Amino acid sequence: MAIKLHALPPIETPRFDAWLDELPPQQQTALNTAAPTLGPLLESAPYLLALAQANADWLVATLADSADGAFTDIIDIVETLGRTATSEEALAPVLRIAKGRTALLAALAETGGTWTTAQATAALSDLADVALEAALNLLMRQAAERGQLTIPASEATGANSGLAIFALGKHGGQELNYSSDIDIVAFYDLEKGVLADPGEATKFYSRMVQKLVGLMEDRQAHGYVFRTDLRLRPDPGSTPVALSFEAALAYYEVRGQNWERAAWIKARACAGDRQVGEAFLRELAPYVWRKHLDFATIADIQAMKRQINISKNVGDIRVEGHNVKLGRGGIREIEFFTQTQQLIAGGRDKTLRVKPTAHALAALADANWITPRAATELTQTYWYLRGVENRLQMLRDEQTHVMPASPDEVAIVGRLMGEPDLRQFEADYRAALERVVSYYSELFTEGETLGSGEGNLVFTGSDDDPGTVETLSAMGFADPSTAIATVRKWHYGGYPATRASASRAHLTELLPALLITLGAAGNADEALAKFDNFLSRLPTGVQLFALLRSHANLRTLLVQLMASAPRMSEAVIHRAHVMDGLIDPAFANEITHRDVLIAKVDAFLADSRSYEEIIDRARIIGQEQKFLIAAGLLSGTVSATGAGEQFTALAETLVHRLLDSVCAEFERRHGKLAGGRVALLAFGKMASREMTATSDLDVILLYDAPDAESDGGKPLTTNHYYTRLTQRLVAAVTSPTAEGVLYEADMRLRPSGNAGPLATSLAGFRAYHRDNAWTWEHLALSRARVIAADAGFGYQVDAAIAEVMSRARDAAKTVDDVVSMRTLMARERPARHPFDLKLAEGGLVDLEFIAQSAQLVAGATIGLPQALTTRVLARLGETGLVPEGARLAEIHETYSTVLQVMSSALISPFKDEAWTDAFKELLAGLTHYPDFGRLELDLLQMRSEVSAAAAKWYEKAREL
């Protein structure tokens, strides 16, 4: 029986006519009979004309048959070759020819009125099923021939594979649009026992799925079969393309999202081991279909809808450029309207568990969830819009959902819909959108919008929402698709911080404000990439996301820290609670006043109930306060000098309190030494109150005690007593606990360095510095400072230091020692980076050597024992010993600021990649320069000045 076709609105058909003229008379006659439909269709659709030209004999035969009969023949050929083909080269062209003929048949039958749009989409879906099955059959036979299966080649079929292929989305609902991808997911069941090596199951099945995809979508002589999308599987960015049942179920039970539940509403086992597939769907049913009305789910669905900015008025919408799928009043809104109500009610009412959208609308009406009128109107509108979508795609076989940009091109779509009048078609199209919006806008109206205020922010599913692309572009994202993929990855629960449903709920609410903040960061894409990296290493998200939702200033600060201060963002990763301090009204007071800081530390440590707890609490408060001081420095609240003083005050307080606790714990076990006293002597930046966020502790323990034994249950001799006490103190400070490390400790400045005992008696200290110390050790001693001591003992240590420093010296020899040591240091420890201002020639070490050598050879003239480097440099200028002294003090302050900022902001300050534009801008601002280039030039000049001043000083000092 010949196909009966309705005529399409007539147009000029020069290309169709030219093709007919090339055909034999018999074919011309057959095709002329269908010309009222074929002519306008093929003239309008270059893709279909090319298919007709390539399949002219088949087309003539098909016109003499029925549409259903022609399609049955196509399916039979594919199924037969699936059972008999011996190679991919044999099967691939058959699949592609079948797809081309089905495409031509569906377009002709739908536009000619022989098939409805529903029938056309079902035919495309059926072809996808049999093509997948045929390909799997071939791949299984090949695997059997390679000895990879436990079953013979005669039984090696997709049905016996243990691998189930699931169709999701429109493929699952047997509603494939004309040029659609197929969304498939592949899960396997090892219980089938078909693999010779079950341990290689994931690799085996993943390779099979990859080959399957190649057979479907690789472009060859006859085109392709179906573009194949595997991204709807669990967490597609980090999982293989074939997953075991157990892994898939575990994901959905723990991390599955409501939009994934919606995706599985339409899922069906479409190829492969359908028995396995049906078993999986039964196991998954409790996840998809909740038994009780799930109000948490309702809230999440509301949030999904609120991400879309709704406007009820579509009367003024331009048809040109409108997205029939994702635009206002489009297909997506009908599907959302239908599937969300299925999700909420389908757990209790099994009649709602149907896959095709039209069937689901009817079921919702039967169950009184919607009115019969709503079901009828939405069903009619759904198929009308699906028909428009099909015609858009059949023109050039493009996976587009966007109406053409010009009225003439829109008119082509209208004519293929059977409407010759453009204005009438546009009116019909707008009316369809109005109907959808009228129903959709009333669904879940509670709650504020989660759009940006400027447009959509939708991140569900696997396709980019055009409205969201537009919104992100307006926010400043140069690559919106990457941004969408990044956010989608968060929603998959791919990171520890987003695995908990509560975290994802907070994140959903936070997203609009967060994206606006990232968009305002200067480089939105880079800011998002840094936030993604931050999020990937954050152990938990609930607390931080809630905090960021409530405090816009913290969002801005965190984004800025990620761009310019990765060390700070790293601290948040490990201890999100440190952000709490930034919203404390006492923040500015704590980081600028020593007494307030000490009181806060003492109050926190006072709550400790045991020795172990004080060790942990010291780390908690230490890390928090280091973070806050660094934040104060980087925000400009506290100067570099002030930060150095506060970092040092923090370290002194913690070490002092830990020393008290260590002594108490030590005395409990070993008793006391009668008359024994201890002191901690600090060197380096701790001594000069210039510590940074990353400074070690340069300290030694000195003691004065009689040669005796302690009076505890485990007595120790004097030397052993204080050595063990020092070991306990070092462990209390440096040992890693669950709360991390407090400080690294450097005790190499004790007499004889690492070769000497950990604890030194005051007598031994005096003797060593009198008889054995090197000049460099006296340089270090020039700014040493007691930071903790038993009553009166600190004064004795100070007197011992003063005695060493006031000793008469051979100035020339001392200076030669200093110069030699600086030369050796330059050779053994060269600068690692242009901004390694400590070790660089003309850097901080040279300034310190000027000041320290001056204390050794001209201490009496300077008259500032143990003074800070800047004060000594200024005094050298005042005395005329170093005329540039005041300028050197200024340079020292600049160097210190640079180094303080580097330490607080950067994890790897001597790697070029760490020096981002954002960090350079931050550093220039904190050093009061208009731009980084000016700072860089001035630092080179400063280093030159320091080197010249050092040379002049050493020359003069030799003569003192």
Side-chain angles (χ1 to χ4, degrees):
M1 182 177 69
I3 295 178
K4 293 182 179 180
L5 298 171
H6 299 306
L8 290 171
I11 59 171
E12 295 295 323
T13 59
R15 284 174 291 194
F16 174 71
D17 294 340
W19 174 54
L20 281 188
D21 290 342
E22 298 171 358
L23 296 175
Q26 187 176 356
Q27 291 186 343
Q28 287 185 24
T29 302
L31 294 176
N32 267 320
T33 304
T37 306
L38 268 180
L41 176 63
L42 301 187
E43 190 69 32
S44 301
Y47 169 64
L48 297 177
L49 179 59
L51 285 176
Q53 291 168 337
N55 295 275
D57 292 342
W58 174 85
L59 179 57
V60 169
T62 295
L63 290 171
D65 193 357
S66 68
D68 291 346
F71 182 62
T72 299
D73 291 342
I74 293 172
I75 295 297
D76 287 345
I77 291 170
V78 173
E79 289 179 336
T80 300
L81 261 293
R83 291 189 295 269
T84 61
T86 57
S87 68
E88 294 168 39
E89 290 74 19
L91 179 62
V94 174
L95 296 180
R96 282 153 179 77
I97 291 170
K99 169 61 185 301
R101 290 177 176 177
T102 301
L104 183 56
L105 174 63
L108 181 61
E110 183 180 350
T111 58
T114 299
W115 278 353
T116 63
T117 301
Q119 288 174 294
T121 59
L124 288 163
S125 304
D126 290 343
L127 177 68
D129 291 354
V130 297
L132 290 166
E133 190 72 34
L136 267 181
N137 285 339
L138 169 64
L139 295 172
M140 281 294 290
R141 286 197 301 278
Q142 292 177 333
E145 290 163 2
R146 289 192 296 268
Q148 293 177 293
L149 307 180
T150 59
I151 55 178
S154 59
E155 298 177 20
T157 63
N160 292 330
S161 65
L163 178 71
I165 305 297
F166 297 92
L168 276 67
K170 290 185 173 64
H171 184 195
Q174 293 182 296
E175 304 165 329
L176 270 182
N177 55 47
Y178 195 83
S179 188
S180 178
D181 292 353
I182 54 173
D183 292 305
I184 62 171
V185 174
F187 299 147
Y188 64 84
D189 184 2
L190 275 179
E191 297 294 319
K192 292 289 286 191
V194 296
L195 298 189
D197 185 358
E200 293 290 306
T202 299
K203 181 185 293 186
F204 173 84
Y205 286 122
S206 293
R207 286 179 177 172
M208 180 169 283
V209 171
Q210 288 163 345
K211 288 182 178 180
L212 176 68
V213 170
L215 275 167
M216 291 296 105
E217 68 178 17
D218 287 352
R219 290 185 177 270
Q220 299 176 7
H222 299 282
Y224 67 100
V225 192
F226 289 98
R227 290 178 295 268
T228 305
D229 193 338
L230 299 168
R231 292 175 298 163
L232 288 182
R233 70 184 186 275
D235 195 2
S238 60
T239 56
V241 295
L243 288 173
S244 70
F245 268 25
E246 292 76 12
L249 286 170
Y251 168 84
Y252 290 119
E253 288 170 0
V254 177
R255 293 163 56 190
Q257 301 170 66
N258 281 312
W259 74 261
E260 290 176 297
R261 287 177 61 200
W264 278 92
I265 286 177
K266 292 187 177 186
R268 63 187 175 84
C270 68
D273 199 325
R274 285 180 171 80
Q275 183 180 3
V276 164
E278 293 302 328
F280 178 81
L281 289 174
R282 287 193 296 274
E283 290 284 330
L284 192 66
Y287 160 75
V288 178
W289 307 108
R290 304 284 169 85
K291 289 183 179 179
H292 307 288
L293 280 176
D294 185 344
F295 291 100
T297 296
I298 294 173
D300 189 38
I301 291 169
Q302 287 173 337
M304 290 162 61
K305 178 173 181 276
R306 284 154 54 210
Q307 290 174 329
I308 306 168
N309 280 354
I310 301 302
S311 170
K312 294 185 182 181
N313 180 22
V314 297
D316 59 348
I317 194 170
R318 289 181 72 249
V319 174
E320 296 90 345
H322 182 261
N323 192 308
V324 67
K325 176 182 178 182
L326 303 177
R328 278 185 292 162
I331 295 165
R332 175 184 61 181
E333 293 182 6
I334 300 175
E335 292 173 335
F336 188 95
F337 178 93
T338 307
Q339 291 169 11
T340 51
Q341 295 186 83
Q342 284 182 279
L343 279 182
I344 291 169
R348 295 190 304 168
D349 186 347
K350 291 186 178 182
T351 64
L352 299 180
R353 301 180 188 182
V354 292
K355 304 182 193 310
T357 301
H359 295 185
L361 286 166
L364 287 167
D366 289 343
N368 294 318
W369 279 88
I370 61 175
T371 65
R373 179 180 176 180
T376 300
E377 289 191 350
L378 285 175
T379 298
Q380 292 172 347
T381 306
Y382 177 74
W383 286 121
Y384 175 81
L385 293 176
R386 292 298 310 277
V388 171
E389 179 185 50
N390 270 3
R391 285 152 180 81
L392 278 172
Q393 295 183 353
M394 67 178 60
L395 297 177
R396 295 175 182 82
D397 189 30
E398 294 174 336
Q399 192 189 11
T400 182
H401 309 282
V402 179
M403 293 290 275
S406 71
D408 288 346
E409 291 175 303
V410 172
I412 293 173
V413 177
R415 287 194 296 270
L416 294 181
M417 290 289 289
E419 177 53 66
D421 183 80
L422 172 62
R423 289 189 178 180
Q424 185 59 50
F425 171 63
E426 289 186 334
D428 292 344
Y429 184 75
R430 287 196 186 96
L433 303 182
E434 289 276 10
R435 282 193 296 275
V436 176
V437 168
S438 67
Y439 288 108
Y440 181 73
S441 61
E442 297 304 317
L443 180 69
F444 308 132
T445 55
E446 299 85 351
E448 61 180 312
T449 179
L450 289 182
S452 70
E454 301 298 327
N456 290 1
L457 285 175
V458 179
F459 302 99
T460 55
S462 59
D463 294 322
D464 293 353
D465 169 52
T468 302
V469 171
E470 185 178 339
T471 303
L472 291 172
S473 296
M475 286 180 174
F477 289 89
D479 187 356
S481 290
T482 296
I484 291 170
T486 299
V487 175
R488 193 177 287 135
K489 177 173 57 180
W490 301 345
H491 282 308
Y492 272 116
Y495 296 150
T498 61
R499 283 189 187 141
S501 57
S503 288
R504 294 198 297 274
H506 280 300
L507 184 60
T508 298
E509 300 284 345
L510 167 65
L511 261 177
L514 176 64
L515 289 170
I516 290 170
T517 303
L518 293 169
N523 186 330
D525 301 86
E526 183 179 341
L528 177 63
K530 289 183 182 296
F531 190 86
D532 179 56
N533 178 267
F534 166 83
L535 201 60
S536 71
R537 293 175 296 119
L538 191 68
T540 180
V542 175
Q543 176 188 6
L544 183 62
F545 296 157
L547 197 63
L548 294 177
R549 275 181 62 196
S550 304
H551 298 281
N553 60 325
L554 286 191
R555 287 196 300 272
T556 302
L557 177 61
L558 184 58
V559 170
Q560 289 172 345
L561 292 180
M562 288 173 193
S564 60
R567 179 176 289 280
M568 297 289 284
S569 58
E570 194 74 15
V572 178
I573 288 172
H574 296 297
R575 297 172 183 82
H577 66 81
V578 296
M579 295 288 284
D580 296 349
L582 296 174
I583 58 173
D584 189 330
F587 166 61
N589 209 27
E590 289 173 11
I591 63 169
T592 54
H593 291 80
R594 174 186 172 91
D595 56 339
V596 177
L597 172 64
I598 293 173
K600 173 129 186 179
V601 172
D602 282 343
F604 188 77
L605 296 181
D607 291 334
S608 303
R609 292 162 296 185
S610 67
Y611 175 73
E612 290 73 19
E613 187 175 358
I614 198 169
I615 299 296
D616 275 340
R617 290 180 77 86
R619 282 153 175 74
I620 293 170
I621 192 69
Q623 300 292 355
E624 176 188 290
Q625 292 303 311
K626 278 198 253 186
F627 176 85
L628 294 177
I629 296 166
L633 169 69
L634 299 180
S635 64
T637 305
V638 62
S639 67
T641 300
E645 291 171 351
Q646 290 296 88
F647 281 129
T648 306
L650 174 65
E652 281 184 37
T653 305
L654 289 169
V655 171
H656 200 164
R657 302 306 177 262
L658 286 175
L659 176 63
D660 291 343
S661 295
V662 166
C663 286
E665 180 71 9
F666 196 75
E667 289 168 2
R668 188 178 63 80
R669 300 186 67 186
H670 300 290
K672 296 183 178 182
L673 273 168
R677 297 176 299 170
V678 298
L680 289 179
L681 182 63
F683 293 86
K685 295 196 178 301
M686 189 177 195
S688 58
R689 298 185 178 88
E690 298 172 311
M691 290 182 72
T692 70
T694 58
S695 289
D696 295 346
L697 300 184
D698 290 319
V699 294
I700 66 171
L701 186 139
L702 299 174
Y703 67 89
D704 182 37
D707 191 6
E709 278 194 345
S710 60
D711 59 8
K714 296 182 178 180
L716 296 170
T717 61
T718 301
N719 287 342
H720 284 153
Y721 186 91
Y722 289 109
T723 296
R724 294 279 294 278
L725 178 66
T726 306
Q727 289 171 335
R728 292 295 294 273
L729 176 62
V730 170
V733 171
T734 65
S735 294
T737 72
E739 301 297 337
V741 171
L742 184 54
Y743 294 98
E744 299 293 340
D746 186 348
M747 306 194 76
R748 289 174 297 176
L749 287 172
R750 67 187 186 270
S752 300
N754 288 338
L758 276 177
T760 306
S761 69
L762 182 58
F765 177 81
R766 284 190 173 117
Y768 178 81
H769 279 281
R770 181 182 63 242
D771 302 325
N772 299 309
W774 298 79
T775 299
W776 69 265
E777 291 176 291
H778 287 170
L779 289 178
L781 202 60
S782 69
R783 56 176 176 174
R785 179 171 63 88
V786 174
I787 60 167
D790 289 328
F793 190 44
Y795 296 114
Q796 290 182 253
V797 175
D798 289 340
I801 294 171
E803 178 187 338
V804 174
M805 296 304 298
S806 61
R807 187 178 307 147
R809 286 178 173 80
D810 181 329
K813 181 183 183 307
T814 299
V815 170
D816 286 343
D817 287 348
V818 172
V819 171
S820 295
M821 182 168 41
R822 183 65 184 101
T823 302
L824 178 65
M825 183 181 290
R827 185 170 65 250
E828 299 292 332
R829 296 179 61 199
R832 295 155 288 181
H833 187 270
F835 271 74
D836 188 355
L837 293 179
K838 177 180 178 181
L839 298 177
E841 183 179 352
L844 194 66
V845 166
D846 288 303
L847 288 172
E848 290 174 345
F849 274 24
I850 292 172
Q852 292 167 10
S853 62
Q855 289 284 49
L856 293 185
V857 301
T861 304
I862 296 169
L864 295 171
Q866 311 308 117
L868 304 183
T869 301
T870 49
R871 187 70 192 91
V872 174
L873 291 171
R875 180 63 176 155
L876 285 171
E878 294 166 3
T879 60
L881 288 171
V882 179
E884 309 88 350
R887 170 62 176 159
L888 296 183
E890 292 175 3
I891 292 174
H892 185 279
E893 184 175 348
T894 301
Y895 285 178
S896 296
T897 300
V898 170
L899 292 170
Q900 279 283 7
V901 173
M902 287 168 61
S903 295
S904 289
L906 302 182
I907 298 170
S908 302
F910 302 126
K911 291 184 177 178
D912 288 339
E913 55 266 30
W915 287 68
T916 61
D917 290 341
F919 173 70
K920 290 177 180 178
E921 182 180 346
L922 173 70
L923 182 59
L926 292 174
T927 49
H928 310 296
Y929 275 81
D931 58 69
F932 180 76
R934 196 79 57 86
L935 169 64
E936 201 169 22
L937 288 173
D938 271 14
L939 285 172
L940 286 173
Q941 175 61 32
M942 290 177 192
R943 287 172 52 192
S944 178
E945 291 179 55
V946 172
S947 294
K952 286 169 60 178
W953 157 246
Y954 293 140
E955 185 177 351
K956 177 184 289 188
R958 286 188 178 90
E959 307 301 324
L960 294 178

